[in-house]
Amino acid sequence: KQEVTQIPAALSVPEGENLVLNCSFTDSAIYNLQWFRQDPGKGLTSLLLIQSSQREQTSGRLNASLDKSSGRSTLYIAASQPGDSATYLCALSGYSTLTFGKGTMLLVSP
Amino acid sequence: DTAVSQTPKYLVTQMGNDKSIKCEQNLGHDTMYWYKQDSKKFLKIMFSYNNKELIINETVPNRFSPKSPDKAHLNLHINSLELGDSAVYFCASSQSDGPGANVLTFGAGSRLTVL
């Protein structure tokens, strides 16, 4: 059974800092890994999807990496902004479902 | 236009009542899901339907009954509500049901509070 752990559970940084969010998983037999953003009272927004054959994906200031052999993924956010404040979830895809971590709550202060 | 819409957004009800949450997607996707996010923010799959047929049914009490009248709709009916049912319920959809290559689009969630 897939287990997904995200560290840290919460992170507070000043605006402009670069930061890394971590995700680890126990079963490397995955199809892909996704990073989502969840804003309070809102649904989830998919940020990046990495196929199991890929090592990383980039979108703007976001870069996600995947290392299946070590069961780890990182989400790198460059030059953080207050608008980046949200909960970030990683999710591992099996054949038909996603298994989510509990998320990292990020607060970027002006 | 909202891609995945859920109603109601908030629902407060008494223990023992029966309630429904509705979900509709206008993306033309074949597969729809219900996820539950509990008080610890843990998101867990409940059900998955592909073209109106149930394909995933996790360990969920049979008080929860999903209904898919067509592939654009997946409703969740809950009987005899209990305190532990309080959570945010998310509907989602994807192009198809596997093999895991699909991006899920989520609704905004329906916050259920059972008193």
Side-chain angles (χ1 to χ4, degrees), chain A residues 1 4 31-32 34 36 38 41-46 49 51 89 93-103 105, chain B residues 9-10 33 35 37 40-45 48 55-56 58 90 97-104 106-109:
Chain A
K1 182 184 173 184
V4 182
Y31 286 95
N32 61 55
Q34 294 184 53
F36 289 87
Q38 183 174 22
K42 303 228 174 127
L44 282 73
T45 303
S46 182
L49 181 148
Q51 300 290 355
L89 299 125
S93 180
Y95 186 83
S96 295
T97 65
L98 293 178
T99 302
F100 283 86
K102 290 188 179 182
M105 187 181 302
Chain B
K9 191 174 174 68
Y10 299 97
Y33 310 80
Y35 280 82
Q37 188 173 41
K40 296 180 181 176
K41 305 298 182 187
F42 196 43
L43 257 171
K44 196 169 180 184
I45 183 77
S48 170
I55 55 171
I56 292 174
E58 292 294 308
F90 286 97
D97 69 323
N102 302 285
V103 174
L104 265 64
F106 280 83

Side-chain angles (χ1 to χ4, degrees), chain B residues 86-101:
Chain B
S86 295
V88 181
Y89 292 85
F90 286 97
C91 178
S93 71
S94 65
Q95 189 70 40
S96 65
D97 69 323

